[in-house]
Amino acid sequence: MRIITGKYKGRHFEIPRSFKARPTTDFAKENIFNVLNGYIDFEDAAALDLFSGTGSITLELLSRGCSQVVSIESDRDHHRFIQECLKKLSTDNSAIPIRGDVFRFIKSCKQQFDFIFADPPYALKELPQIPDLIFEKDLLKQDGIFVFEHGKDYDFSQHPHFVEHRAYGSVNFSLFKATVTTVG
């Protein structure tokens, strides 16, 4: 796993072979971040990385200058790996790795974020409800961006906050944006 750009560009981390998590491929990660550059300035943004897995997205966000990255991962070994990577980078308090259930976190979170990334296991039965939960709990700031990684069998294009879909090989991303609708 490597960091693509920013202050930690080129740093590599060896993922233990025993890990169940499948990190977003470098190819997909690089391409989706190129798309995101048209939507958001990561410098000083507050970000949330749900289903963090190996921490690849968390590390990328920190490298790109996010002022805060909260990462949620339930697996003990994966969470420990993320903490070790953060120590190797000597990040300040801008990284907040939390070991816990994503759905409990979403339900209790009172903070809003400029950017949210979610990469749940593709077989997760609650996967289709995640975009609705993000918007029901008002986790995105005005004009905030939510990127949802999912398998090819899902189509979120009818969601009211859907912006666009991108596919890179077997990796699919749906992008959503928080906007205030005016009545009139």
Side-chain angles (χ1 to χ4, degrees):
M1 171 178 85
R2 78 178 168 96
I3 298 175
I4 293 166
T5 198
K7 63 183 171 184
Y8 305 121
K9 179 181 179 175
R11 295 287 300 266
H12 284 265
F13 299 90
E14 285 299 318
I15 300 169
R17 293 192 188 280
S18 61
F19 273 25
K20 300 175 293 251
R22 41 144 190 81
T24 303
T25 64
D26 285 351
F27 174 75
K29 185 168 62 169
E30 185 168 4
N31 280 288
I32 195 63
F33 272 97
N34 284 340
V35 170
L36 290 170
N37 285 333
Y39 285 100
I40 186 169
D41 179 7
F42 290 102
E43 192 71 33
D44 297 325
L48 175 62
D49 182 9
L50 300 171
F51 305 96
S52 299
T54 62
S56 173
I57 299 299
T58 292
L59 299 175
E60 192 70 38
L61 291 167
L62 290 168
S63 185
R64 290 169 185 259
C66 285
S67 61
Q68 180 189 54
V69 181
V70 177
S71 63
I72 312 300
E73 175 53 50
S74 63
D75 184 276
R76 180 191 66 219
D77 295 332
H78 296 185
H79 178 260
R80 186 180 307 123
F81 178 76
I82 293 168
Q83 289 178 308
E84 289 169 6
C85 291
L86 293 169
K87 282 180 190 166
K88 288 178 184 174
L89 293 180
S90 301
T91 59
D92 53 11
N93 293 334
S94 57
I96 304 170
I98 298 172
R99 181 173 168 235
D101 179 77
V102 164
F103 295 100
R104 281 193 195 142
F105 177 85
I106 289 172
K107 288 176 182 164
S108 65
C109 182
K110 303 295 183 221
Q111 181 177 354
Q112 286 190 314
F113 299 90
D114 299 293
F115 179 76
I116 299 173
F117 187 94
D119 180 9
Y122 289 1
L124 186 72
K125 68 178 169 70
E126 300 92 348
L127 186 145
Q129 289 82 44
I130 293 172
D132 287 337
L133 283 173
I134 297 296
F135 290 99
E136 284 169 12
K137 296 300 180 181
D138 200 26
L139 296 183
L140 277 176
K141 292 179 183 176
Q142 173 67 24
D143 294 325
I145 297 294
F146 169 45
V147 174
F148 191 41
E149 184 174 333
H150 55 84
K152 64 178 173 22
D153 297 331
Y154 294 97
D155 178 3
F156 295 96
S157 60
Q158 298 306 307
H159 193 280
H161 294 280
F162 177 82
V163 178
E164 68 175 288
H165 173 263
R166 296 291 178 121
Y168 305 103
S170 63
V171 180
N172 288 264
F173 297 102
S174 289
L175 281 69
F176 304 83
K177 187 171 184 176
T179 54
V180 174
T181 55
T182 55
V183 178

